Amino acid sequence: MSHCLTARSIDHVILERGEVANSWKTERWDSLRLLTPNWMSRLPGYQYEGDDPDGFLTMPETIAFIERYAGAISAPVRTRTRVTSATRLDDGYLVATDNGEWRCRSLVVATGACNVPALPPVAEALPPAIQALTSREYRNPGRLEPGGVLVVGASASGTQIAEEIQHSGRPVTLAVGEHIRSPRVYRGRDIKWWMDAAGVLDDRYDEVDDIGRARNVPSLQLAGSKDRRTVDLNRLTGLGVRLVGRLAGIADGNAQFSGSLRNQCELSDLKMNRLLERIDAWATEHGLDGEVDPPQRFEPTRVDASPPLGIDLRRGEIRTVVWATGFHPDYSWLQAPVLDRKGRIRHDGGIVESPGMYLLGIPFLRRRRSSLIDGAASDARDLADHLARYLDHRTVGSGA
Ligand SMILES: Cc1cc2nc3c(=O)[nH]c(=O)nc-3n(C[C@H](O)[C@H](O)[C@H](O)COP(=O)(O)OP(=O)(O)OC[C@H]3O[C@@H](n4cnc5c(N)ncnc54)[C@H](O)[C@@H]3O)c2cc1C
């Protein structure tokens, strides 16, 4: 957004509570690599230019990429400046920070989608003897107690963490709710290449059937790795991970799992196949069938005939629980009547229901790619255009 505002000669400042690339520096586990290939690390006026476009950046490389970008665009960032409140004024906003106050005519909320781990209410009933941490607190298996681990949540974070912990020798049980399976490589090309080329990532917020639902869809079960392996549930059970259904409750120290594991897996296989069908149709339509491998379909997810419906957490079999159950944004600092009853900002493709306020960087803000680094460019351009028109209109309207 800063690059787009500079390009339109709009004076602005970026307030950051930590440092540049703060979330990548402080909220990710050690072995994580981006799950988007390097060529997808594209920001307005800047992109990955290394010699491994099909590889996946490590966290230090991701941090360096964002830091270089901030330098290249001379982003006017005030680091170590936490916004504590933003209040609507007649002609703009009053922004209070732990480092002074600001007045602005327009406010862009780009505080991220993953500020607060979304723990299910059952988390409170976990016996205190069990070590509990969120995917944001998790760093590596060496920091866990010896013994069994229950990972709750089977999307990108949960499956990657489950695989890594299982490799460390701690037996993993994975509680599986709604998830979306995906191969890493399909017909010889990266799945993200297909999604980009076939326009899947360009699906628009005002054209999908149910945008509320689309914004809550979990992340694809994908991992970035040198061997480009698929990290789906079949891979995990092959490694010895035990699958159970969604964690539905904890009563008297007994973890209770939903009986819907098979259904969830069938649904996930179905959604994956729908995506592959869309890709195949696009490949045929664009004459690619001769150039790429033939269409593939994958073995359905293997599920035990009767997976456990409960585990007594007081028996010592499980020593650690890792919550990989997603995140919420934190807008507690926003003192404007723009939140719905679930605490989400009411907006139309990032244009907030408060004059001059914009939202950036949340899932499916304007396009399916909005949740990715690669989504920032198109969203920021659209919103910067709107913002520039808003400021022009205000200037004319106020006679200034
Ligand atoms: C585990 C994980 C893996 C991911 N992997 C990928 C991937 O492989 N590829 C990809 O494209 N995307 C990935 N993403 C999504 C990625 O995080 C987003 O695309 C990207 O970070 C969005 O950038 P952002 O600047 O909008 O949000 P963030 O990176 O979250 O930045 C928000 C910033 O706002 C600051 N902030 C928050 N509140 C305040 C406040 N009150 N005052 C001042 N500053 C504040 C934070 O410190 C932070 O620096 C991943 C996300 C997670 C959680």
Side-chain angles (χ1 to χ4, degrees):
M1 179 54 99
S2 175
H3 177 82
C4 295
L5 295 178
T6 302
R8 288 158 184 76
S9 303
I10 297 173
D11 192 21
H12 63 281
V13 65
I14 305 172
L15 305 180
E16 165 59 54
R17 63 183 169 186
E19 296 169 28
V20 170
N22 203 52
S23 57
W24 302 105
K25 283 179 180 160
T26 62
E27 297 174 0
R28 308 286 189 259
W29 62 93
D30 299 344
S31 66
L32 181 68
R33 286 173 179 267
L34 290 190
L35 52 72
T36 38
N38 293 340
W39 58 263
M40 266 187 114
S41 290
R42 302 182 280 211
L43 287 165
Y46 195 78
Q47 63 182 41
Y48 172 87
E49 278 176 351
D51 56 7
D52 186 16
D54 295 321
F56 303 93
L57 293 183
T58 62
M59 284 307 100
E61 290 166 343
T62 306
I63 291 163
F65 174 80
I66 307 245
E67 285 179 337
R68 277 198 306 274
Y69 182 59
I73 65 165
S74 304
V77 191
R78 301 284 174 117
T79 54
R80 308 247 160 249
T81 304
R82 176 186 292 271
V83 173
T84 50
S85 75
T87 321
R88 171 122 190 94
L89 305 172
D90 283 347
D91 57 349
Y93 297 91
L94 175 65
V95 177
T97 78
D98 55 6
N99 195 11
E101 274 184 3
W102 294 78
R103 277 165 187 266
C104 53
R105 289 203 286 158
S106 185
L107 176 68
V108 180
V109 177
T111 43
C114 301
N115 308 121
V116 189
L119 295 188
V122 300
E124 283 179 15
L126 199 65
I130 294 196
Q131 179 189 24
L133 64 169
T134 63
S135 58
R136 202 168 76 167
E137 293 161 336
Y138 171 80
R139 288 294 170 269
N140 57 59
R143 294 215 196 160
L144 306 184
E145 304 270 343
V149 180
L150 172 64
V151 176
V152 183
S155 293
S157 297
T159 48
Q160 290 181 41
I161 290 171
E163 184 190 41
E164 175 169 90
I165 297 176
Q166 180 74 20
H167 272 307
S168 78
R170 292 167 181 77
V172 172
T173 303
L174 180 63
V176 180
E178 186 190 357
H179 62 279
I180 306 186
R181 185 180 175 196
S182 166
R184 176 78 262 178
V185 176
Y186 182 60
R187 302 182 69 180
R189 302 216 174 161
D190 195 276
I191 192 73
K192 288 287 180 191
W193 182 88
W194 285 111
M195 291 175 78
D196 185 55
V200 176
L201 297 175
D202 290 318
D203 288 346
R204 284 186 54 96
Y205 78 105
D206 45 5
E207 287 171 8
V208 294
D209 282 346
D210 181 352
I211 184 60
R213 167 93 192 104
R215 286 188 174 137
N216 282 315
V217 164
S219 57
L220 291 190
Q221 279 176 342
L222 273 182
S225 61
K226 285 198 165 158
D227 61 3
R228 317 185 70 75
R229 65 183 180 280
T230 293
V231 183
D232 60 8
L233 298 182
N234 282 353
R235 170 165 173 83
L236 295 180
T237 47
L239 292 172
V241 170
R242 173 173 61 169
L243 303 185
V244 292
R246 215 178 116 258
L247 178 61
I250 300 177
D252 300 329
N254 275 302
Q256 298 154 341
F257 303 106
S258 141
S260 65
L261 177 62
R262 180 173 298 280
N263 279 350
Q264 290 289 2
C265 293
E266 280 173 4
L267 207 60
S268 173
D269 289 347
L270 185 81
K271 286 183 190 155
M272 172 178 70
N273 287 335
R274 276 199 202 129
L275 173 65
L276 303 183
E277 278 159 24
R278 179 168 171 188
I279 287 171
D280 291 339
W282 180 86
T284 303
E285 200 182 313
H286 289 78
L288 250 77
D289 284 333
E291 272 178 46
V292 295
D293 296 346
Q296 296 164 271
R297 288 298 174 265
F298 299 90
E299 183 200 358
T301 303
R302 295 186 301 270
V303 178
D304 278 354
S306 46
L309 293 175
I311 297 178
D312 186 348
L313 296 173
R314 292 161 307 188
R315 266 200 345 241
E317 178 194 350
I318 301 288
R319 301 294 304 276
T320 305
V321 171
V322 180
W323 301 105
T325 39
F327 298 92
H328 293 309
D330 174 16
Y331 302 126
S332 55
W333 51 274
L334 195 50
Q335 314 289 310
V338 293
L339 302 183
D340 67 16
R341 60 192 167 79
K342 289 194 170 166
R344 296 170 303 206
I345 294 185
R346 286 193 304 271
H347 67 99
D348 180 10
I351 301 157
V352 181
E353 287 179 17
S354 180
M357 193 189 290
Y358 298 86
L359 175 64
L360 194 58
I362 65 150
F364 228 133
L365 181 85
R366 298 182 66 80
R367 300 168 177 83
R368 200 182 294 281
R369 73 172 79 238
S370 294
S371 57
L372 303 173
I373 293 168
D374 187 39
S378 40
D379 289 357
R381 277 189 200 111
D382 290 353
L383 294 177
D385 283 344
H386 193 284
L387 191 155
R389 283 198 303 275
Y390 170 77
L391 291 183
D392 283 350
H393 173 74
R394 295 277 303 162
T395 307
V396 172
S398 66

